[in-house]
Amino acid sequence: QNWKGPWRWYEEQMLNCCLDLEDVKLTGITLRDFRCLAHCQGLSIDLNYSDNSSLDDFRSAVKRACLADENISDTDDNDDNKSKQADNPQCDEPLREALVISYSRKVLGQTGSGHFSPLAAYDPVSDTVLILDTARFKYGAHWAKLPLVYEAMKPLDPDTGRSRGYALLSFDHVTKPRKGMNDNVERVEGIVQPISLLFRSKLTQNSVRRKYKDYLESLAFEISWEQTCNYWLLEDHKVWNIVEPLRLPKDEEEGASAVDDIRDFLRELLSSLDPSGLSCCDGVAKTGKCLSEKDAILIIYLASLEESHRKMLVRDFQSKASTLTREHLLNECDIIARAIFFSGESSF
């Protein structure tokens, strides 16, 4: 996320799309939760449970993440580069995946139970991996035998009834020219470190999302605005059961300004879909302008559309809204879309 000027920042608050962070402090997360969080950050994830993965499979994944790709890049065609790659095929192609393991500390002879940490290196001679322990106050970076790490992923997670495992994370950083916008800018395909400015996510909302997902899947065609309104205006389908307004601290002026810009843009979209939809405020705490029930329903509606349709509608809508405001709104929709998608999965 942009912080001030060219400076960027990243913190745990940005991992707010699948679980409420207060719940995470109490119960931790499972591999399934980890996958949802990864998707919300725009990452591709190859998730493997150890009960469905062999020791050789795990070793292959470690090599993918920790040893440079030996394939020669298609873009390096000149003879000097080819000669260089032939002499040392592992030095030129950058690593494009990161490996995170979910394991039992007890198997490694450590205190504690379930834990997540990334692997930073692999030594094929000794068959050991370097674990960058995320709790450095307890254990610094340390080497461990790969077979022992594999055994540490076998104990069942009591919350899921399944073994632990590992995940390969990757991000395709591809820029493409923006079409249909007044300003000629480039954007990164995929969501880059989004954080919700409008809503907070709670695990207790998951059953409501799952019920709505079942409704979406029952429709023969993509849901319409009228169908979305009819669903969420029913007495037992209150929209605040699926999204909870986020209260920004008073000193976050920049964030409050961004929220106001999103709300203004929402009102323009809403007026085009439903001229009578500019409902009054409903008691929600706000910064300057209200977040109405119809505002929230509109974001859920956009989140329910096919991604390409959603992007076209938001980016091509005739408005003075800035590119940043449009992308902020798309981030809000993408976060909710992923929460709805993952709500329908089984507990493991």
Side-chain angles (χ1 to χ4, degrees):
Q1 293 288 328
N2 289 328
W3 178 50
K4 294 181 179 179
W7 293 285
R8 302 180 68 82
W9 59 276
Y10 194 90
E11 61 176 6
E12 289 182 350
Q13 273 190 331
M14 301 173 72
L15 302 176
N16 68 338
C17 64
C18 303
L19 298 168
D20 184 88
L21 295 181
E22 294 303 315
D23 294 336
V24 173
K25 290 178 182 179
L26 296 174
T27 63
I29 65 172
T30 66
L31 266 177
R32 174 180 170 272
D33 299 330
F34 181 82
R35 177 169 61 175
C36 181
L37 291 170
H39 276 287
C40 285
Q41 301 305 302
L43 298 173
S44 297
I45 179 169
D46 180 4
L47 185 64
N48 299 271
Y49 290 91
S50 64
D51 55 13
N52 284 338
S53 179
S54 68
L55 175 60
D56 288 338
D57 291 334
F58 177 53
R59 185 177 287 108
S60 295
V62 169
K63 291 179 178 179
R64 281 173 57 184
C66 299
L67 299 181
D69 193 337
E70 297 186 16
N71 294 326
I72 296 176
S73 173
D74 293 335
T75 60
D76 295 328
D77 293 328
N78 64 66
D79 293 337
D80 290 340
N81 282 337
K82 289 182 178 180
S83 175
K84 181 180 178 182
Q85 290 169 335
D87 292 337
N88 190 356
Q90 292 187 344
C91 69
D92 294 293
E93 184 67 18
L95 297 174
R96 300 188 182 279
E97 293 177 295
L99 181 61
V100 176
I101 56 173
S102 171
Y103 60 104
S104 169
R105 283 192 179 278
K106 293 181 180 179
V107 177
L108 298 186
Q110 301 173 351
T111 60
S113 53
H115 192 54
F116 285 83
S117 286
L119 299 186
Y122 172 61
D123 177 31
V125 177
S126 61
D127 198 25
T128 56
V129 293
L130 179 61
I131 301 175
L132 293 186
D133 199 308
T134 53
R136 295 179 62 188
F137 65 94
K138 293 183 64 175
Y139 300 98
H142 55 278
W143 291 90
K145 289 290 186 180
L146 186 146
L148 180 61
V149 174
Y150 175 72
E151 291 298 319
M153 295 186 292
K154 284 187 175 181
L156 297 184
D157 183 337
D159 291 328
T160 65
R162 289 200 64 173
S163 68
R164 304 180 189 277
Y166 57 94
L168 281 161
L169 304 174
S170 60
F171 176 66
D172 295 326
H173 195 86
V174 180
T175 59
K176 295 183 178 181
R178 177 78 54 78
K179 296 181 179 179
M181 302 294 293
N182 295 329
D183 45 347
N184 184 21
V185 299
E186 290 187 341
R187 70 178 298 274
V188 177
E189 286 298 304
I191 305 170
V192 184
Q193 303 172 353
I195 181 172
S196 179
L197 297 174
L198 302 179
F199 306 114
R200 65 196 298 256
S201 179
K202 300 189 72 173
L203 188 60
T204 53
Q205 299 164 336
N206 206 44
S207 61
V208 183
R209 298 178 189 132
R210 186 181 302 115
K211 186 174 181 180
Y212 180 59
K213 182 184 179 184
D214 291 340
Y215 171 69
L216 291 176
E217 293 177 345
S218 71
L219 301 177
F221 302 98
E222 188 176 60
I223 193 169
S224 67
W225 165 246
E226 290 75 15
Q227 289 173 315
T228 309
C229 285
N230 290 338
Y231 181 93
W232 288 109
L233 291 177
L234 291 175
E235 185 63 28
D236 59 341
H237 291 162
K238 290 189 178 299
V239 69
W240 304 123
N241 289 332
I242 190 174
V243 292
E244 181 175 336
L246 183 65
R247 292 167 174 81
L248 286 174
K250 294 181 180 180
D251 58 349
E252 292 190 8
E253 295 182 2
E254 185 176 350
S257 176
V259 170
D260 286 345
D261 290 342
I262 294 174
R263 286 171 175 155
D264 288 340
F265 184 43
L266 278 172
R267 298 308 168 79
E268 293 185 68
L269 286 169
L270 189 57
S271 64
S272 69
L273 291 170
D274 183 2
S276 65
L278 297 177
S279 58
C280 63
C281 303
D282 50 12
V284 178
K286 32 204 170 297
T287 59
K289 300 180 179 64
C290 67
L291 179 67
S292 72
E293 189 175 43
K294 281 289 184 69
D295 295 332
I297 293 175
L298 176 55
I299 294 178
I300 294 174
Y301 164 66
L302 293 171
S304 306
L305 301 176
E306 290 288 337
E307 185 177 9
S308 59
H309 185 190
R310 175 166 68 245
K311 290 180 177 179
M312 180 183 68
L313 197 157
V314 171
R315 291 175 180 162
D316 293 350
F317 184 75
Q318 294 299 312
S319 168
K320 293 182 179 180
S322 68
T323 299
L324 182 60
T325 297
R326 296 171 193 262
E327 294 307 307
H328 274 156
L329 177 57
L330 285 174
N331 275 347
E332 297 291 338
C333 297
D334 290 340
I335 289 171
I336 292 177
R338 281 167 170 75
I340 293 172
F341 175 80
F342 283 102
S343 68
E345 295 192 345
S346 62
S347 60
F348 48 78

